[in-house]
Amino acid sequence: MHIPKPFLPVKLTTEGLCHTAHLLDKSITFGANSLPQSIKVGGEELLAAPIRLCGIEDGETLVWDDNYPDNESESFVQRRADDEVVICGAMQSECFIADTAIKTSFEGCMEIDLKLADRGRTVSEVFGLSKKKERRYELERLWLEIPLRRELLESYTMHPNTSYYIGGEKIEKTATTYGGRLPDETMSTPFKTQLWLGGEKAGIGFFTESHKNWQWENEEKVIEVIPNGDELLLRVHLLDSIPKSWSIGSSIKRPIVFRFGLQITPTKPFPAQPYLHNALHLDCFIKVKGNYRDFLLAEKDGKNRFDRLKEKGVDTLILHEKWNKLQNCFELSEYTASQLELIVDECHKRGIKVLTYFGYELSMLSPEWAETGEANAMYLGEAQGLDGGWYRFPYQRDYVLCYNTEYMDKFVEGVTGIMDKFHTDGVYLDGTAHARCCTNTQHGCGWYDSDGKLCGTYPWRAIRTLFRRLYTAVEERGGIINLHGLGYNFIPQPFIHSNWFGEDLQFDYCKGKLDKFPLDFFRAAYTGRTYGTPVEMIVYANPPIWNFESGISMALIHGILPRPNDIEKPLDYMSDIWKVFNNFPFDKSEWQPYWRNGVTASADALKVSYYKYTAVDGGEMYMILCANIDKEPLENVNISLQKELSSMIDALTGEKTDTFDVCSYGYKIFFARAK
């Protein structure tokens, strides 16, 4: 298989009883039982101790036999290729056997299949040549434990977003409870299909598609994150009781399977220049009347809106859903095709790239809906039925697709076909990577528990496969994949170029529910550096309650920028900021965010991050990004870096200043040099 940039083929080495997979800026060493005993990211060891399976059998602590005969490892290489390696391994306790198959891919994802069965009888016991050892064959508990180095871990994200517990105290669900700063006390959560722990240097994400075969005794304590000195223990409760499918005392038990995965982060090196483009997103939230072609061709003072895009510094135009009369349909209507040809031609004349919207839904207006629509759709269960149903023009309802279907092939072929035929420059994906809990058994999702209840599947493996295939194809064409998603989702991050996050916050902020900026949440979910992929912020303004300018403030100090979604005022704001940012050498600069840079400010509500550029002669130049995180204005504030600076220059006005004012949720950008 072709390995897309920036990744490298997997290299596997064996030393003693261990196998090590060498990846781009990562290595994973699998022990004699096949479980990882070392994970290094950029040379930093992430594990505090080997990953382990813990439990209780027949009332005693579960002990795995590590007396390997003839010094022969119980793990072995089943398959190796440039894109992935498969390590199989076996463990044996007094009563049970655990077999594993771990597929490790070039981006640092481990897909793990764990199978459990009773130990059974030996050949000599079967023939009566040796005395059968009496065992009760009861497995009362089984936990996966991942000991991590606490000093590397700052934040967490998780999905689904629910209430959870810190030190036994319930934290009620809000828009931002799915991410934050790791607490000093034990954190326990209900079942999660994703949980990530990490920081900018290193992290690990646990994911699973379902809780099939899981049995927990306390639904509020299915996953625990336990601080213990220099160690942070991630404990996953696979079994808190004897499996229901196993008869008590029987020595013949059907194997039970647990399927989960681990993703090492950052998934790839973060770009030295993280502000990848100056993009305008047309028709998202701030809607365009009529069709895009006529809107962009409309003239004012002898110039059309294509000319305005060029004048304002836009180099990427992202077309929202209305460019295509049928959501996610790759056979374009005659009008859609002619409109797209004109827009691409006019943009390319001006050096502007064009990304088309594709997403997560299929329209009932589509010719293919009657034949395959419901079979490919996301199903939420007997009570709720099909997911979605977005209403749009032409009059239609669009329903959420599941990509654990044949539509995966159509999607990859369709996107690349549009790029090839119409010379578009990539794709904007709206919610495509957001795995809802699908119970559509028509295409293989959903399963029935021991009580006959239909349960759902989060199709992460299908989504990962989709993005891996799409990224390879789009990369080959020199294109861009931009994803609108949520900040918890590490699965697609290796296989996209940039994210657009923030819609989850806008529901509250547009209604005036903002108090202060959720700094810990932003650090966990929105900086992009934790996952290795740049982020732009979504801002849906509702003045005067919530302004685009406030979104700029929130973004700046976290090393990201908002993306304008209107060709008028938001574009004017961002055009000025783009001009400033285009004049600073980010690719040769050091990023110092407010939480570790040692900057002191005369007001607590003023947060300051900066970039530092060191010239060949040793001189230092700074871009200083300031934000007032409170609704109260700040007057005559000042800041102090660890080095004395010459007078700061307001990057937007050119004025010199030592003290300055910042309006409610406002921002300032300064240039300065070290004395």
Side-chain angles (χ1 to χ4, degrees), residues 421-437:
K421 183 174 181 179
F422 296 94
H423 309 294
T424 54
D425 303 286
V427 62
Y428 164 73
L429 301 178
D430 183 6
T432 314
H434 179 47
R436 294 157 174 84
C437 190

Side-chain angles (χ1 to χ4, degrees), residues 319 323 340 344 348 353-356 358 415-427 477 479:
L319 303 176
W323 78 274
L340 185 58
V344 171
H348 283 183
K353 296 179 179 180
V354 178
L355 307 186
T356 52
F358 285 102
V415 169
T416 53
I418 296 293
M419 291 182 67
D420 292 341
K421 183 174 181 179
F422 296 94
H423 309 294
T424 54
D425 303 286
V427 62
R477 290 162 172 79

Side-chain angles (χ1 to χ4, degrees), residues 126-141:
V126 170
F127 281 90
L129 301 178
S130 62
K131 185 179 179 181
K132 177 183 174 182
K133 189 169 183 178
E134 295 300 325
R135 302 181 177 95
R136 292 191 302 139
Y137 294 101
E138 294 180 13
L139 182 61
E140 290 98 343
R141 293 188 184 277

Side-chain angles (χ1 to χ4, degrees), residues 612-613 618-622 641 643-647 671-675:
K612 182 179 76 172
Y613 169 71
E620 295 176 353
M621 183 171 70
Y622 297 82
L641 273 66
K643 285 199 173 183
E644 189 176 358
L645 303 178
S646 60
S647 293
F671 288 133
R673 293 183 181 274
K675 286 186 177 179

